[in-house]
Amino acid sequence: MTERSLAAELRASPPTLHGQAEFWGLAWEALAFIERAVHPGMATMETGAGASTIVFAARGADHEAVTPSEEEAERIRAECARRGISTDRLRFRIGSSPEVLRAWEGRPLDLVLVDGAHAFPYPTLDWWFLAPHLKVGGLMLLDDAYMPPVAAVVDQLRGSAGWKLEEPVSFRTAVARKLAEEVPEPEWKGERSGGRMNFRYLPLRRRAVASARQRFFSTPLGLKAVELVRPFLGRSGRREG
């Protein structure tokens, strides 16, 4: 009998980690990708914390998570303990990501997840502080990449010789591989960055469906529909951290 993955277990029994009754977190496909991509001893970091933190810990990564909430960190530790997952290699950095990362001593990283605060300029600052520490060849996951403040980072990486956008791991999670050390150009040269909500990081065949779905579920009617069906379906929303 095939053993069920942790991502599948989390989907079947979603933990409440952010102080509300429903589950907010990465798309299930993104959690499954982290479970496949991360191996024991890898150096990893994320802005934000939640179910992804549990997966990083379970995979034996040397992991750091940045969250403004000590209570959230305690809920994650408790959920790990409940599931028999060691937190010996898990460290929480408490505070806003710009403040934490500005003072962070830094270390070479294999994989980074940017999924903290989504308003401008937080995604850009998370990328700015973390990119120099990501190893060449390492991966950066940017969640909620359809949001303009995150899309601005994705657009920058798309046009950069130092980065390559890989196949997205979910309809809202972009993946960029670092190809070389690079400092962005100081002058704007007409590049498209951010703008309205968009799914330019997805293949063409998936953009229309993802756009229609997200635009509907961002309306009052759509949000009400999510509220009604969430108790019956193991689906994820966005998380604050």
Side-chain angles (χ1 to χ4, degrees):
M1 185 176 181
T2 303
E3 185 177 352
R4 186 160 64 172
S5 70
L6 176 58
E9 291 179 1
L10 290 168
R11 184 168 189 170
S13 179
T16 54
L17 304 172
H18 301 289
Q20 57 259 9
E22 70 272 14
F23 173 78
W24 280 26
L26 283 178
W28 302 116
E29 299 90 343
L31 284 176
F33 174 84
I34 291 172
E35 188 171 10
R36 295 192 305 270
V38 173
H39 303 286
M42 286 181 66
T44 59
M45 192 165 191
E46 65 180 320
T47 55
S52 55
T53 314
I54 296 173
V55 175
F56 279 114
R59 296 298 297 152
D62 186 4
H63 187 64
E64 296 176 80
V66 181
T67 172
S69 171
E70 179 64 50
E71 291 77 12
E72 182 175 81
E74 286 303 318
R75 285 191 289 268
I76 292 169
R77 290 190 187 100
E79 184 66 21
C80 285
R82 190 180 74 81
R83 293 176 181 268
I85 296 170
S86 172
T87 56
D88 290 346
R89 305 186 75 173
L90 170 62
R91 297 179 300 284
F92 288 97
R93 305 280 185 174
I94 306 301
S96 71
S97 58
E99 294 172 351
V100 169
L101 296 176
R102 187 183 297 113
W104 180 57
E105 61 274 17
R107 62 190 175 106
L109 297 168
D110 297 297
L111 188 147
V112 167
L113 168 62
V114 174
D115 191 23
H118 295 92
F120 179 84
Y122 295 101
T124 298
L125 291 173
D126 289 354
W127 168 77
W128 178 258
F129 284 120
L130 288 170
H133 300 286
L134 185 64
K135 298 176 184 176
V136 172
L139 296 178
M140 179 176 287
L141 278 62
L142 298 115
D143 197 44
D144 296 307
Y146 61 89
M147 295 182 181
V150 186
V153 178
V154 176
D155 287 343
Q156 169 65 30
L157 301 186
R158 180 185 294 106
S160 168
W163 297 82
K164 176 187 177 185
L165 288 184
E166 303 283 4
E167 183 75 15
V169 297
S170 84
F171 80 96
R172 57 185 173 89
T173 312
V175 181
R177 185 178 299 278
K178 185 175 177 179
L179 302 180
E181 302 293 348
E182 182 187 56
V183 177
E185 291 287 338
E187 299 296 334
W188 182 64
K189 297 180 179 179
E191 303 92 346
R192 178 174 60 180
S193 295
R196 300 174 61 188
M197 183 170 68
N198 72 81
F199 292 84
R200 288 193 291 268
Y201 55 91
L202 289 177
L204 282 171
R205 67 184 183 279
R206 295 174 58 190
R207 290 183 194 177
V209 173
S211 178
R213 176 170 61 180
Q214 195 63 34
R215 289 177 192 280
F216 171 72
F217 286 117
S218 297
T219 65
L221 178 61
L223 292 172
K224 183 64 176 178
V226 170
E227 181 182 341
L228 291 173
V229 303
R230 195 184 293 276
F232 307 101
L233 299 176
R235 59 181 297 133
S236 67
R238 294 189 297 273
R239 65 176 180 176
E240 296 176 357

